[in-house]
Amino acid sequence: MSAKIHINLMKFEENIDFLTNKLHQNGINVFAVSKVFCAEEPLIKILDQSKVDGIADSRILNLKKIISKKPKMLLRIPALSEVKDVIKYANISLNSEIEIIRSLNKIAKEENIIHQVILMIDLGDLREGIYYKDFDYDIINEILLLKNIKLLGIGTNLTCYGSVIPTESTYKLIENIKNNIERIYNYKLEVISGGNSSSIYLLNGNIPKYINQLRIGEGYVLGRETAYGRKIKGMNDDVFTLKVEIIELKEKPTLPVGLLGVDAFGKKVIYLDKGIIKRAILNVGKQDVFDEYLIPPKGISIIGSSSDHLIVEIENGKYNIGDKIIFKLNYGGVLALMSSPYVEKVYE
Ligand SMILES: *Cc1c(COP(=O)(O)O)cnc(C)c1O
């Protein structure tokens, strides 16, 4: 048996229903983000039948395989070299460069369709978007003149590069830009797309009225908000779990013996001497997932890993060769394991 990622579809559906209802009750539309699970079909089916308002992914390859009646949104700002595919596979795209929006317009015109654009504003997190202090309202004028582009709204992304947590004062910056656009051009922006799972913590009545859309991935997948990393009451944190097998079980010292150099990844490691411990080797390694993304069950702690071996300490509990160990995962764990061809995906 190779390492397996187990995906509990019922728990996923429960998470989708729970959080979508909560968002809708707060007047917020939601695009469910499928990139962390590579837009795999069984999960997309659940989204398609749910109340989410659309499906969003950062990669065109994923959007291409999504079969759904819901609108599809491209999250990563498009490359100039892929605008044809953007027009073909996405109804909406997030954008920050006028050159690319012009190019989208050109292709949309050839295809005789209207492509919808959300213009991204960088409120200080310093990833994509026009920096809020440098916002030049002429760009709106130009976009509004493009016949095959509809300016659906403006948006922002937070807590990704710069770790900026959405707050009322950060959101004020986008409200100002929204108000100015609507006043100068007498044009109603349908969508103010306020961010990702780091905005969930504001859903207790603290999300500003003008924010009417979020794009949610991690919240649905792991049942937690990402501003403070807290579990959301009523949601499942074990939709995705890793199941691996004990392939060696021995007592060994904690201190390596001999002259020490670097580990398999070229790192100089400091080893603490805890004497002899009970250890197990599990059949998963860094080629599948980095060990910092795994959450071990009670009584087991992670010591380290190489490409193909995960070494754990058995602190308590009775185990045998061939026993299976189940780990919960954090975001990087789901991402890596779902992307790995070596990991079997088991839907249950
Ligand atoms: C990945 C992504 C999201 C979803 O983020 P989560 O933290 O998983 O909710 C939203 N917006 C953009 C632009 C993204 O790239």
Side-chain angles (χ1 to χ4, degrees):
M1 181 200 99
S2 68
K4 289 179 176 157
I5 183 163
H6 281 247
I7 304 139
N8 188 314
L9 293 174
M10 208 168 80
K11 288 186 178 178
F12 182 69
E13 192 174 351
E14 284 169 7
N15 280 4
I16 297 294
D17 290 345
F18 183 92
L19 189 53
T20 306
N21 280 337
K22 199 162 160 162
L23 286 156
H24 285 171
Q25 281 158 16
N26 281 264
I28 290 174
N29 283 353
V30 58
F31 271 65
V33 173
S34 54
K35 66 192 184 200
V36 70
F37 52 83
C38 311
E40 285 292 324
E41 195 194 348
L43 296 152
I44 292 294
K45 263 195 182 146
I46 290 174
L47 292 181
D48 186 46
Q49 286 157 17
S50 75
K51 288 189 201 149
V52 302
D53 301 281
I55 302 175
D57 206 290
S58 49
R59 293 176 188 252
I60 289 181
L61 212 59
N62 288 347
L63 289 179
K64 203 168 162 175
K65 71 178 188 190
I66 294 174
I67 299 169
S68 173
K69 51 192 179 302
K70 300 202 188 265
K72 294 198 265 180
M73 177 192 285
L74 178 65
L75 290 172
R76 183 166 64 189
I77 46 173
L80 202 51
S81 56
E82 66 185 3
V83 289
K84 271 208 165 92
D85 282 342
V86 177
I87 295 300
K88 200 162 167 190
Y89 299 113
N91 308 100
I92 307 166
S93 61
L94 307 183
N95 282 274
S96 66
E97 293 288 353
I98 189 66
E99 266 173 87
I100 293 178
I101 300 172
R102 278 184 208 131
S103 177
L104 286 166
N105 180 60
K106 188 164 159 272
I107 305 297
K109 191 172 177 185
E110 284 167 22
E111 299 294 325
N112 198 25
I113 60 158
I114 306 283
H115 181 74
Q116 303 180 78
V117 160
I118 294 177
L119 188 64
M120 294 300 276
I121 319 281
D122 177 356
L123 302 181
D125 199 60
L126 308 182
R127 205 177 73 180
E128 75 275 46
I130 301 167
Y131 193 51
Y132 71 100
K133 283 188 183 168
D134 301 334
F135 196 84
D136 178 352
Y137 290 88
D138 289 347
I139 192 175
I140 301 297
N141 189 39
E142 179 165 359
I143 297 171
L144 292 178
L145 289 172
L146 299 173
K147 292 250 169 9
N148 292 75
I149 294 291
K150 174 178 173 178
L151 179 63
L152 186 63
I154 56 176
T156 193
N157 195 61
L158 294 160
T159 338
C160 268
Y161 170 72
S163 350
V164 175
I165 291 174
T167 57
E168 205 184 325
S169 61
T170 290
Y171 274 144
K172 260 268 167 285
L173 306 171
I174 202 170
E175 188 192 17
N176 288 339
I177 294 174
K178 166 198 183 291
N179 289 342
N180 288 339
I181 292 172
E182 294 188 336
R183 182 176 43 79
I184 298 169
Y185 294 101
N186 191 23
Y187 180 84
K188 171 89 183 132
L189 296 167
E190 262 174 53
V191 169
I192 310 296
S193 193
N196 52 47
S197 299
S198 70
S199 298
I200 293 173
Y201 88 101
L202 294 170
L203 288 178
N204 50 2
N206 285 319
I207 206 135
K209 283 262 172 316
Y210 47 86
I211 301 294
N212 60 9
Q213 181 186 83
L214 292 177
R215 311 169 306 267
I216 301 289
E218 183 161 348
Y220 283 134
V221 164
L222 294 178
R224 67 171 184 192
E225 56 81 30
T226 57
Y228 300 99
R230 286 190 285 243
K231 196 173 162 359
I232 303 167
K233 255 209 197 105
M235 294 188 76
N236 305 299
D237 64 354
D238 56 353
V239 174
F240 294 82
T241 50
L242 171 68
K243 195 177 196 180
V244 287
E245 187 171 333
I246 298 180
I247 55 175
E248 184 186 290
L249 191 61
K250 293 188 191 307
E251 294 198 347
K252 287 190 191 178
T254 37
L255 215 51
V257 182
L259 177 66
L260 302 191
V262 293
D263 73 0
F265 283 73
K267 280 202 183 122
K268 186 108 192 134
V269 182
I270 312 270
Y271 300 90
L272 286 177
D273 190 359
K274 285 171 58 184
I276 306 277
I277 56 164
K278 204 172 187 185
R279 319 178 330 152
I281 297 181
L282 307 171
N283 62 342
V284 67
K286 288 194 166 86
Q287 191 158 20
D288 312 292
V289 62
F290 278 67
D291 56 66
E292 68 251 39
Y293 299 135
L294 305 177
I295 304 164
K298 273 210 177 72
I300 289 182
S301 66
I302 293 171
I303 299 177
S305 66
S306 56
S307 299
D308 310 298
H309 301 76
L310 175 67
I311 310 168
V312 298
E313 178 178 355
I314 309 277
E315 288 155 340
N316 53 64
K318 261 186 115 59
Y319 291 96
N320 298 300
I321 290 290
D323 280 358
K324 313 287 189 288
I325 311 282
I326 292 171
F327 290 81
K328 285 191 193 175
L329 302 166
N330 61 29
Y331 191 81
V334 178
L335 184 69
L337 292 164
M338 288 303 287
S339 305
S340 171
Y342 299 104
V343 177
E344 194 186 328
K345 298 173 182 78
V346 182
Y347 292 94
E348 53 191 26

